[in-house]
């Protein structure tokens, strides 16, 4: 872990279902009664991807961030990964460490996990902040997409043998090769610094990384139909803020409109000249937006420091 990460938050391990989970936390300097938040990272990242967001939000509230099992410094290996699995991790984390309902803040895969957690365990989720939402049910023809599910799964199993995945990881984890891939996710290329390259590359050096990637590729598509965005978003009663970079090249910006149609009550914040990771691409703007929205959804008797 970099020296910079040590100043962002305190991190430690927790054993969940026999699996080691790395999480980080930072307490507000003074108790305010504000709703705590839990950051959930995107695919291939970890809690350190919130490096410039944790300190800004911790000025008014307790902040937590989790390395989902299979990522970051949490345990990896060949497990049955998926939003259902990770949502149970978030539920148990809330119960054991937070002690109250929290606002879940997710980016990309983390947004899907946050949404499923809010659907399955609403008592643990005070609100949602989603920084894009990569869910194929938001496409114009999700039924057509689902018709080919069995074929897709067969292909995924065929195309993810150990002899292919492990050399691919060895090739990709070089910072030299990672940088062009990360450039697809960022508008501000200066944000692709040594700290970011390390937080993405270092976990991939683990011996468990290959089996973990293989399992995620095979199992993560097995999301029950009733837990997909087109069915879940209309049912959610928690307040939702949706932030989407207009220059997102990984998940189309046009899908934000579909989210609005599914839940007209959600607040929507489009971000011009911003990529797939708004929180790290333009952290100052996102932090201000998050703090403003969170303060509107705190209990009425919260004491915010002057």
């Amino acid at each position: 872990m970099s020296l910079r990460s040590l100043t962002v938050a305190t991190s430690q391990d927790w054993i969940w279902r026999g699996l080691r989970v790395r999480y980080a936390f930072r307490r507000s300097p003074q108790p305010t009664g504000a709703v705590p938040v839990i950051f959930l990272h995107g695919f291939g990242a970890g809690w350190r991807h919130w490096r410039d967001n944790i300190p800004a939000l911790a000025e008014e509230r307790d902040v937590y961030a989790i390395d989902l099992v299979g990522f970051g410094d949490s345990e990896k290996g060949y497990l049955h990964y998926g939003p259902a699995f990770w949502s149970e991790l978030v539920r148990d984390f809330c119960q054991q460490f937070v002690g109250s309902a929290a606002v879940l803040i997710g980016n990309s895969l983390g947004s899907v996990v946050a949404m499923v957690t809010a659907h399955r365990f609403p008592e643990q989720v005070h609100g949602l902040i989603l920084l894009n939402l990569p869910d194929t049910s938001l496409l114009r023809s999700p039924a057509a997409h689902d018709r080919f599910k069995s074929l897709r799964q067969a292909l995924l199993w065929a195309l993810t043998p150990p002899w292919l995945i492990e050399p691919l990881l060895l090739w990709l984890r070089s910072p030299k090769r990672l940088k062009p891939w990360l450039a697809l996710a960022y508008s501000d290329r200066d944000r692709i610094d040594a700290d970011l390259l390390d937080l993405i590359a270092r976990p991939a050096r683990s011996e468990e990384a290959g089996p973990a990637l293989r399992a995620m590729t095979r199992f993560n598509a097995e999301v029950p139909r009733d837990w997909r965005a087109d069915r879940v978003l209309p049912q959610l009663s928690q307040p939702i803020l949706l932030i989407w970079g207009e220059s997102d090249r990984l998940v189309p910006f046009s899908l934000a409109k579909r989210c609005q149609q599914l839940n007209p009550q959600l607040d929507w914040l489009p971000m011009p000249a911003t990529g797939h990771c708004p929180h790290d691409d333009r952290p100052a703007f996102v932090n201000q937006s998050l703090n403003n929205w969170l303060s509107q959804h705190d209990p009425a008797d919260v004491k915010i420091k002057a």
Side-chain angles (χ1 to χ4, degrees):
M1 183 182 298
S2 68
L3 291 175
R4 180 181 178 186
S5 297
L6 294 173
T7 66
V8 168
T10 300
S11 66
Q12 56 192 41
D13 288 338
W14 165 49
I15 303 302
W16 176 73
R17 298 183 181 179
L19 301 168
R20 179 178 46 79
V21 177
R22 177 65 55 87
Y23 70 97
F25 63 92
R26 182 160 173 163
R27 309 289 188 197
S28 175
Q30 297 178 1
T32 65
V35 176
V37 301
I38 302 174
F39 284 115
L40 302 173
H41 60 80
F43 192 90
W47 77 260
R48 289 193 292 142
H49 203 201
W50 307 99
R51 52 192 176 161
D52 287 327
N53 313 111
I54 291 173
L57 269 62
E59 292 179 8
E60 304 294 355
R61 64 193 69 247
D62 292 345
V63 176
Y64 303 85
I66 305 172
D67 278 358
L68 297 171
V69 174
F71 296 104
D73 292 322
S74 287
E75 194 158 336
K76 301 173 183 65
Y78 196 84
L79 302 168
H80 205 111
Y81 298 103
F85 172 77
W86 288 311
S87 71
E88 291 166 8
L89 166 64
V90 176
R91 185 259 329 258
D92 293 348
F93 183 87
C94 282
Q95 292 176 342
Q96 182 154 344
F97 295 103
V98 183
S100 67
V103 171
L104 305 183
I105 305 177
N107 171 227
S108 196
L109 172 65
S111 293
V112 176
V113 176
M115 178 188 70
V116 173
T117 304
H119 177 59
R120 297 184 69 200
F121 312 112
E123 70 283 357
Q124 301 296 336
V125 182
H126 181 80
L128 293 174
I129 298 177
L130 310 176
L131 288 87
N132 61 58
L133 185 61
D135 188 308
T136 55
S137 72
L138 297 172
L139 299 171
R140 290 185 178 181
S141 303
H145 187 271
D146 287 343
R147 280 199 296 271
F148 295 99
K149 181 176 180 179
S150 296
L151 176 60
R152 289 200 318 274
Q153 288 179 336
L155 286 171
L156 287 174
W157 279 75
L159 296 173
T160 53
W163 59 263
L164 175 62
I165 290 292
E166 308 214 359
L168 180 64
L169 265 181
L170 283 171
W171 186 80
L172 282 176
R173 69 191 183 189
S174 158
K176 180 181 178 180
R177 295 189 179 98
L178 272 178
K179 204 162 185 176
W181 287 101
L182 287 170
L184 293 174
Y186 281 74
S187 289
D188 183 356
R189 305 298 172 84
D190 291 338
R191 296 292 298 169
I192 306 174
D193 57 16
D195 194 56
L196 177 64
L197 290 168
D198 177 69
L199 78 88
I200 300 295
R202 186 165 52 82
R205 299 187 185 110
S206 164
E207 291 182 2
E208 301 173 320
L213 179 60
R214 206 163 76 248
M216 283 179 213
T217 305
R218 291 177 170 184
F219 298 130
N220 197 33
E222 297 178 9
V223 182
R225 191 73 185 88
D226 288 341
W227 295 352
R228 304 297 295 276
D230 62 336
R231 298 194 182 182
V232 170
L233 282 179
Q235 300 181 53
L236 294 179
S237 59
Q238 299 96 332
I240 304 171
L241 172 62
L242 177 66
I243 298 176
W244 213 301
E246 293 184 8
S247 301
D248 191 335
R249 285 173 283 189
L250 300 182
V251 184
F253 172 70
S254 59
L255 296 184
K257 185 175 182 180
R258 175 66 172 147
C259 293
Q260 278 191 303
Q261 293 169 343
L262 291 167
N263 189 329
Q265 302 305 311
L266 65 77
D267 298 316
W268 180 39
L269 177 62
M271 290 186 61
T274 306
H276 186 66
C277 306
H279 61 289
D280 199 46
D281 209 344
R282 294 179 58 197
F285 180 86
V286 168
N287 290 340
Q288 182 178 5
S289 302
L290 296 186
N291 276 323
N292 289 343
W293 189 88
L294 287 164
S295 66
Q296 295 171 20
H297 296 281
D298 278 325
D301 59 348
V302 165
K303 298 177 182 178
I304 299 298
K305 299 186 293 296

